[in-house]
Amino acid sequence: MMCPQTSPAPHALALRLPVPVPSPEALLRVRLLCVLGDARGPGGAPPAELSVRLSRLEAHLRACAFGRLRADARGLRRLASRVGLSEMARVAASVEACAVSGDAAALGATVARLGRCGTGALQALRRSG
């Protein structure tokens, strides 16, 4: 498997697709965790941590670091499940599966989808805040 075939960047392929918006309950839960703090795990506020993890995933994809990508996708899946972003957790699980199988085309597509889910969640949090 050759990684250079993943050009162009996965997020550049689907700019016109609609951005998924999380449920109001998930937004409320994330906002409450931001205000009250989350005693269950290290890291900053959930929106900041989501943003950092999403950018790390894209960097790992560009670097063809599939092991690190899988580990970060697992962490993002756990974070999304914890704050109630079920669609993002499901897509992060798909990223994990693609990283394990080594399917570069599917991995690029699922990381792009995960980026759109994250963008939708972050935009909705900014609007509601």
Side-chain angles (χ1 to χ4, degrees):
M1 178 177 72
M2 298 279 300
C3 187
Q5 296 173 1
T6 59
S7 287
H11 62 278
L13 298 176
L15 294 176
R16 303 279 184 215
L17 293 176
V19 176
V21 178
S23 69
E25 294 84 17
L27 292 175
L28 179 63
R29 187 171 182 176
V30 171
R31 291 191 44 80
L32 284 173
L33 285 173
C34 288
V35 172
L36 301 175
D38 186 12
R40 286 186 286 180
E49 195 173 339
L50 282 174
S51 180
V52 167
R53 287 183 185 265
L54 286 169
S55 54
R56 279 196 326 215
L57 278 174
E58 290 177 356
H60 292 326
L61 181 63
R62 283 191 300 272
C64 299
F66 297 140
R68 289 187 210 144
L69 192 140
R70 186 175 136 243
D72 272 344
R74 183 182 320 120
L76 184 63
R77 176 180 49 85
R78 289 177 181 161
L79 174 65
S81 295
R82 189 175 75 220
V83 298
L85 299 171
S86 58
E87 182 179 358
M88 185 182 289
R90 184 181 51 80
V91 176
S94 297
V95 169
E96 280 184 81
C98 290
V100 168
S101 71
D103 186 354
L107 190 58
T110 53
V111 168
R113 172 105 176 118
L114 188 58
R116 289 191 303 273
C117 287
T119 300
L122 293 172
Q123 285 176 353
L125 283 169
R126 285 186 197 113
R127 281 193 306 263
S128 70

